[in-house]
Amino acid sequence: MTQTTEQLTWIAADWGTSNLRIWLMANTGDVLHRISADCGMGSLTPDQFEPALMKLIAEHLPNGRTVPVVICGMAGAKQGWAEAPYSAVPSEPPNATTATRIKTKDSRIDVYILPGMKQNAPADVMRGEETQIAGFLAANPKFDGVICLPGTHTKWVHISAREVVSFRTFMTGELFALIADQSVLRHSTASSDWDAEAFAAAVDDAMSNPATLASKLFSIRAEALLHDQGNAVGRAKVSGLLIGAELAGARPYWLGQNIVILGEDGLSSAYQAALSAQGLPVQTVPSETMTLAGLCAAYLALESKSL
């Protein structure tokens, strides 16, 4: 029996569409071991989730006792391991007391999948982000303002009195990937470099004239053909135009608000730059840290319920 097996108290997991992140946890709250794999929900059928999980954690599990596993994210989607019904806003982010408990073949694990959140009008949903929000609120219980969660589908979330009051999703990240990598603009955006000045100008342009977004995007191709515009500039412009259009649409959320960005370097920095240009003080917090904090809060609620 390894030291990790001896100290293992519970397991936290974030099961996304493309990837799975696992943390083996001690009762002190310390991470004993971290595991990452590309076995996301999108590549699995419901009966493949338990084998995929066990392949990664079996060697660390003790014999003779059951280890709780708390999971957030797409494992609870309709196409996932088992559907964990959404909690409706306004409400506090859900925790493990409202989780879906999974009947497993292996008796060494006791699996709980956290629910996502839904908004009926306008219709919107989230899975996984609610756990990041719960992690942030666990450390900042008096926060009132807006949380921005940049990503493939960026969320703007209004928080008051520890509740998610409302939220809106923007497909900005997915649109960027499609336009920059698959459209005619792929010939003008193939670069790992970045032009901050071009990005800032594009954000301002799109916020001022969001209706011209489609035309401004094509101009990026024309500028490359006619004026040898570099690909770093082109890529920054695509990002700036899309984020600028998003900010124009999300203005009711961020205008005059305290804003926290839960994200990782790169995309988080782009949003911070765009918002700071509007004269807004912006705090950034690593999203993975908040995911784990939210899973820890869910586990503590589960433990309290069982006492």
Side-chain angles (χ1 to χ4, degrees):
M1 182 179 292
T2 67
Q3 186 176 6
T4 296
T5 300
E6 291 176 350
Q7 296 179 349
L8 180 63
T9 302
W10 68 286
I11 296 172
D14 177 16
W15 214 317
T17 301
S18 303
N19 297 287
L20 168 61
R21 294 181 296 179
I22 297 170
W23 298 268
L24 307 184
M25 305 296 297
N27 61 3
T28 58
D30 293 327
V31 177
L32 300 171
H33 187 56
R34 185 186 185 281
I35 303 168
S36 182
D38 59 355
C39 54
M41 180 273 291
S43 64
L44 301 173
T45 58
D47 62 345
Q48 292 175 326
F49 277 79
E50 184 176 346
L53 178 64
M54 292 306 298
K55 182 179 179 181
L56 298 170
I57 67 172
E59 65 178 295
H60 302 290
L61 294 174
N63 292 314
R65 64 182 173 91
T66 302
V67 176
V69 181
V70 181
I71 303 174
C72 69
M74 299 305 293
K78 282 186 178 181
Q79 302 82 10
W81 192 342
E83 185 174 8
Y86 294 109
S87 297
V89 300
S91 67
E92 291 189 11
N95 59 46
T97 61
T98 55
T100 296
R101 191 174 186 179
I102 304 299
K103 184 175 179 59
T104 59
K105 294 180 180 179
D106 197 306
S107 62
R108 291 178 295 170
I109 56 173
D110 189 12
V111 175
Y112 298 83
I113 300 179
L114 300 178
M117 302 193 79
K118 68 179 180 180
Q119 178 176 273
N120 289 313
D124 214 328
V125 294
M126 69 169 81
R127 280 201 187 275
E129 294 91 351
E130 77 293 324
T131 303
Q132 296 178 30
I133 294 166
F136 178 78
L137 291 179
N140 303 273
K142 295 183 179 180
F143 176 80
D144 268 61
V146 170
I147 297 177
C148 174
L149 300 104
T152 303
H153 302 144
T154 297
K155 310 287 184 184
W156 291 85
V157 185
H158 178 204
I159 303 293
S160 183
R162 297 193 61 137
E163 288 192 337
V164 174
V165 179
S166 66
F167 65 97
R168 293 304 305 271
T169 302
F170 291 78
M171 292 178 61
T172 304
E174 185 168 358
L175 288 172
F176 176 82
L178 290 169
I179 291 170
D181 299 336
Q182 298 185 40
S183 78
V184 68
L185 295 187
R186 69 187 185 278
H187 304 296
S188 308
T189 58
S191 175
S192 58
D193 294 329
W194 186 255
D195 191 301
E197 186 176 339
F199 171 79
V203 169
D204 186 63
D205 193 358
M207 288 189 68
S208 302
N209 303 287
T212 64
L213 174 64
S215 175
K216 294 290 186 180
L217 285 169
F218 188 78
S219 290
I220 294 170
R221 179 61 179 156
E223 287 283 352
L225 291 171
L226 301 178
H227 304 305
D228 294 322
Q229 177 176 271
N231 283 8
V233 172
R235 193 170 186 85
K237 280 187 175 181
V238 172
S239 180
L241 289 170
L242 291 174
I243 290 177
E246 177 186 324
L247 292 185
R251 195 185 304 270
Y253 274 84
W254 54 260
L255 189 63
Q257 293 285 346
N258 296 317
I259 301 174
V260 171
I261 297 174
L262 301 187
E264 300 303 326
D265 291 342
L267 188 56
S268 179
S269 298
Y271 274 81
Q272 182 180 27
L275 288 164
S276 296
Q278 308 307 311
L280 298 167
V282 181
Q283 178 186 356
T284 60
V285 180
S287 58
E288 181 170 331
T289 301
M290 291 300 98
T291 297
L292 181 56
L295 288 165
C296 288
Y299 170 72
L300 291 174
L302 183 65
E303 284 293 284
S304 297
K305 183 181 178 182
S306 65
L307 293 177

